[in-house]
Amino acid sequence: MKSVRREARSGVRPERAGAPRRAWGAAAAVALAAALACAGCSPPGAGKTATAGTQSFVTEPVTTGQVAALGDVTLRMWADQAEKPLMKSVVPAFEKKYPNVTVDITYKSFDDLVATVVNAASGSTPPDLFQGNIGYAVDGALVKAKLVRPLDDVAATYGWLTGTGASTLAPARWNSAGTAFGDGNLYGMSPISEVQGIYYNKALLKSLGLQPPQSLSDLEKQLPVVEKAGKQPIMLGNSDQYAATHVFSDLAATEQDPTAIRDWIGGKANTTFATTGNEKAADTMADWAKKGYFGSGYDGLSNEDAIARFAKGSGAYFVGGSWNGAKLDPEKFGFGALTTGGAGATASPWHIAAASKATPAAVAFLAALHTPEAGQKILDTGRLPVVTDGVRAANSLQSQTLDALKRTIAAGTQVGYYDWSATDMLTVMGGRLQEVMAGRTSSADFTKAVQDTWRKARESK
């Protein structure tokens, strides 16, 4: 069988047989400036690196001839096991187009991937193409150690810097030191995006004479109506601590400029979490918890259990990310965004190893992921694509979610997730927010504790 897609074991894969020959399209120096996306960006992979040798620039889309010039080659990849359904369609089509390439994918659980991929990338035989994770622990470490190839030239050549999905590239832009992201050179791309919003139980709302909420104001008017009717207003499972932070992030995005949130998450100097908007959002969380809008025992319930209960009809609303939609019956549930510019971003970025000797094939694979055809496959497998042009939803729930994503991407207001800001932020923010919701600490103390964690993380870098 041509494709090798076996489950990963610990450690780095053994050296592949037959080192591929290096061939690449000619890249004139005068074309380099046009290929770079941002003023002042350092040339991607220019000169010598510790492992990669001289890197060529991409000034035109990779051709089958350029990939064929590699000879018989294995494109070694590491991926989250969640990518299996997508890869089942993308890989065979890619190998058919490039018959000299065999795709060998190591699949890992997300936790295992983020724990091991930096070591794998720094080894003597790194994967050519692999997923990282936005934030300092993984992507920041990869950039700082110069283990991944900048993709400014690739993005410019393939038109990713304009049109659908251009704004989603920001979280994969880093300064050269790997100490701040959101601006700088582009080091990764993801074909998959996410949007945060509110799911609603159609039948329950109809029985109470309520219309789907179109804003936070609408929701706040409806919550007491649902509670008075003896129904649980919002289904929440917060034992993993991240679910409540997602509700908080939607509230926070309605109270302040989303750009300020994104800058803070990316580590921009002189930004702060201790804002009036964040305090107000935390106060709202405490108020909703006190009034019973989240029900009881939510800190002992996982997000998976909560969405399962919601799918069975418990609760009027569920605030969460678009990945939850695959578990819901589209005939019974709908989706809306409380604000354009709430939480949500791209999924784990793909990176090309700086040391790869199969760079043309790796670039071609990234290009294959960033097409309307791949976008449709992504949607068909229950997730949302970055490339939404020409993509058709299969049902009303999927259509509503896709429309919400399009509006957020078009506005350029995806802010990302708060826990990207520091390696221990989820623990700190999640735990402190639980204290706020239980009435054991104030919103001001909450925002101060979060900002202190952010500041210490910056100082350590």
Side-chain angles (χ1 to χ4, degrees):
M1 182 177 180
K2 190 171 187 288
S3 298
V4 183
R5 290 181 283 277
R6 54 186 180 271
E7 290 300 322
R9 297 292 184 265
S10 61
V12 181
R13 287 295 186 88
E15 181 73 51
R16 60 180 179 269
R21 288 182 291 111
R22 183 160 213 197
W24 201 224
V30 293
L32 176 58
L36 295 176
C38 54
C41 288
S42 59
K48 297 281 185 177
T49 69
T51 55
T54 301
Q55 186 72 268
S56 297
F57 293 96
V58 180
T59 57
E60 59 184 16
V62 175
T63 66
T64 54
Q66 289 165 344
V67 176
L70 292 169
D72 290 337
V73 63
T74 297
L75 185 65
R76 298 173 61 249
M77 296 165 50
W78 273 32
D80 186 332
Q81 62 188 13
E83 304 301 328
K84 282 185 179 181
L86 175 62
M87 294 301 148
K88 284 182 179 178
S89 61
V90 174
V91 170
F94 181 83
E95 291 179 330
K96 182 177 180 180
K97 183 175 182 179
Y98 304 101
N100 62 303
V101 180
T102 297
V103 177
D104 181 354
I105 306 181
T106 295
Y107 289 110
K108 288 178 172 282
S109 70
F110 175 78
D111 289 342
D112 195 15
L113 178 70
V114 298
T116 60
V117 72
V118 175
N119 285 339
S122 62
S124 59
T125 57
D128 301 289
L129 187 64
F130 55 89
Q131 286 182 288
N133 191 45
I134 298 170
Y136 300 95
V138 178
D139 281 10
L142 291 168
V143 172
K144 185 176 183 179
K146 304 187 187 306
L147 297 173
V148 289
R149 179 195 192 279
L151 299 176
D152 301 270
D153 57 332
V154 176
T157 296
Y158 281 92
W160 300 344
L161 302 178
T162 58
T164 302
S167 67
T168 67
L169 297 173
R173 292 191 178 278
W174 287 83
N175 64 10
S176 59
T179 58
F181 62 94
D183 293 300
N185 278 21
L186 179 69
Y187 286 91
M189 64 80 68
S190 174
I192 296 169
S193 196
E194 300 163 351
V195 66
Q196 182 83 8
I198 183 166
Y199 292 93
Y200 55 86
N201 183 322
K202 294 179 181 178
L204 181 52
L205 292 194
K206 184 177 181 180
S207 71
L208 298 175
L210 300 174
Q211 295 295 318
Q214 301 298 313
S215 65
L216 176 59
S217 177
D218 287 348
L219 179 62
E220 289 187 302
K221 293 175 182 177
Q222 294 180 4
L223 291 175
V225 176
V226 178
E227 197 275 335
K228 187 176 180 180
K231 304 296 184 180
Q232 183 169 328
I234 300 175
M235 179 59 64
L236 175 68
N238 195 45
S239 63
D240 299 325
Q241 297 186 332
Y242 77 84
T245 68
H246 284 191
V247 181
F248 169 84
S249 65
D250 259 13
L251 298 176
T254 68
E255 302 291 349
Q256 57 203 310
D257 182 358
T259 301
I261 299 175
R262 185 168 60 240
D263 287 346
W264 180 84
I265 291 173
K268 188 173 183 178
N270 301 317
T271 58
T272 182
F273 187 81
T275 65
T276 300
N278 283 335
E279 287 188 17
K280 187 174 181 180
D283 284 337
T284 298
M285 294 289 290
D287 181 60
W288 287 3
K290 184 178 181 180
K291 291 177 178 177
Y293 293 164
F294 297 119
S296 60
Y298 52 81
D299 278 338
L301 188 69
S302 71
N303 185 77
E304 288 299 305
D305 288 337
I307 191 66
R309 292 186 183 186
F310 184 68
K312 293 179 180 179
S314 296
Y317 309 105
F318 180 95
V319 181
S322 50
W323 56 89
N324 292 288
K327 302 176 179 68
L328 301 175
D329 185 338
E331 299 300 318
K332 298 179 180 179
F333 298 93
F335 180 86
L338 295 179
T339 175
T340 299
T346 55
S348 299
W350 285 91
H351 304 287
I352 296 178
S356 175
K357 294 180 176 62
T359 301
V363 170
F365 197 91
L366 286 186
L369 292 176
H370 205 271
T371 64
E373 293 77 15
Q376 187 64 57
K377 293 295 183 181
I378 290 166
L379 191 63
D380 292 345
T381 55
R383 293 186 288 177
L384 295 176
V386 164
V387 176
T388 58
D389 293 339
V391 175
R392 299 177 65 87
N395 54 63
S396 60
L397 178 58
Q398 198 175 68
S399 179
Q400 288 175 318
T401 312
L402 187 61
D403 286 346
L405 175 69
K406 288 180 179 179
R407 291 194 298 272
T408 304
I409 289 179
T413 53
Q414 285 188 311
V415 300
Y417 300 111
Y418 283 110
D419 57 278
W420 289 351
S421 60
T423 55
D424 58 345
M425 186 57 74
L426 178 59
T427 299
V428 173
M429 179 178 282
R432 293 287 183 153
L433 189 57
Q434 284 179 324
E435 294 292 304
V436 170
M437 295 169 68
R440 292 192 288 266
T441 192
S442 69
S443 59
D445 286 343
F446 162 67
T447 59
K448 181 181 183 301
V450 170
Q451 180 62 19
D452 285 346
T453 300
W454 182 92
R455 175 180 52 79
K456 291 176 183 177
R458 302 286 76 69
E459 291 172 352
S460 69
K461 299 181 187 312

